[in-house]
Amino acid sequence: MSYKEAIEEFNSEDENGKSRLVYAYFGLAIYFAQCLEQTFINMIWLDRVFKKRVKFQNEVNEIIDAVENSRKTMGALIHEVKTEYSLPGNLETDLKKLLDTRNYLAHKFFKEQIQKFETELGQKEMLKYFCDFVDDSKGVDNELNNYYYHYTQKLGLTEERIIELMEELKEEEIERVKTLSSKK
């Protein structure tokens, strides 16, 4: 996603559409923060599975459940990833910046920036902030992939298999909606 595309979309909207678009991009930024957090979770359980050399699926499931249901903050997850994967300093710096931005978005952004909704320039600045965060998150997520790629390959989680799993989830949701619709 690029800021340029966001601005093109923004300029084609009316006043109400512009406000909704700012909220939509805020939601997108939070979504990518959650995706990044899930990457940390995946990295942790993958590392644990391989370090413990588990042999049975139930052991794998227990490790995944323990990590997935942990109440660790994003900062704690990042710390564990940095420790277990020996990340270089520049990536650690990027992770710290993303964590700080994510925390600001989640806890203070609108409280401190709400006045920007009053002008188009302010709304565009908000869009820029969100787009920059999304781009930075995607970049770090791609870089992190290099650190756990060999684990996923050993487990058979190839790109093709991930696409298959996503299609299965999509089909399950379509079936769920059909079932709900037929009950009405």
Side-chain angles (χ1 to χ4, degrees):
M1 162 202 326
S2 75
Y3 175 64
K4 181 182 173 190
E5 293 166 347
I7 290 301
E8 288 173 8
E9 192 175 355
F10 182 84
N11 289 334
S12 70
E13 293 287 342
D14 63 15
E15 281 305 308
N16 288 335
K18 289 177 180 180
S19 294
R20 285 192 303 270
L21 191 67
V22 170
Y23 285 124
Y25 275 86
F26 170 78
L28 194 60
I30 294 298
Y31 167 77
F32 275 95
Q34 289 180 358
C35 290
L36 195 55
E37 191 168 10
Q38 188 61 50
T39 294
F40 302 139
I41 289 168
N42 294 349
M43 290 177 77
I44 291 167
W45 69 253
L46 281 165
D47 182 65
R48 290 180 186 179
V49 164
F50 280 96
K51 282 188 176 166
K52 291 184 179 183
R53 298 175 197 235
V54 297
K55 295 181 179 22
F56 302 104
Q57 185 62 44
N58 67 327
E59 293 174 298
V60 172
N61 292 343
E62 288 171 8
I63 290 171
I64 292 172
D65 288 344
V67 175
E68 289 281 345
N69 295 315
S70 168
R71 293 192 162 277
K72 287 185 177 183
T73 64
M74 190 169 177
L77 294 171
I78 289 172
H79 178 73
E80 188 170 345
V81 166
K82 287 189 313 190
T83 302
E84 298 304 323
Y85 286 85
S86 302
L87 302 178
N90 65 319
L91 187 52
E92 286 188 32
T93 301
D94 291 345
L95 289 171
K96 170 77 171 111
K97 179 185 169 205
L98 283 172
L99 175 63
D100 290 345
T101 304
R102 176 259 183 207
N103 287 342
Y104 181 68
L105 282 169
H107 303 292
K108 294 183 181 180
F109 184 82
F110 281 105
K111 181 172 91 171
E112 295 181 5
Q113 303 292 324
I114 195 65
Q115 73 281 1
K116 289 187 176 182
F117 254 110
E118 300 304 318
T119 66
E120 278 198 17
L121 175 63
Q123 291 173 337
K124 288 177 182 178
E125 290 171 348
M126 294 168 94
L127 287 173
K128 174 91 169 95
Y129 193 82
F130 303 147
C131 289
D132 287 350
F133 178 77
V134 168
D135 291 341
D136 292 346
S137 296
K138 285 179 177 180
V140 166
D141 194 53
N142 286 335
E143 195 170 341
L144 288 171
N145 184 54
N146 296 326
Y147 289 89
Y148 67 92
Y149 177 78
H150 65 281
Y151 285 158
T152 59
Q153 295 303 297
K154 287 180 184 178
L155 286 175
L157 291 174
T158 61
E159 189 66 32
E160 294 79 23
R161 181 61 184 134
I162 292 169
I163 291 169
E164 286 175 18
L165 291 169
M166 293 303 295
E167 282 299 316
E168 289 172 18
L169 289 172
K170 179 181 170 183
E171 290 300 319
E172 285 176 20
E173 177 61 9
I174 290 169
E175 285 303 313
R176 184 188 75 83
V177 170
K178 284 181 185 176
T179 301
L180 288 174
S181 295
S182 67
K183 290 181 179 179
K184 290 183 178 183

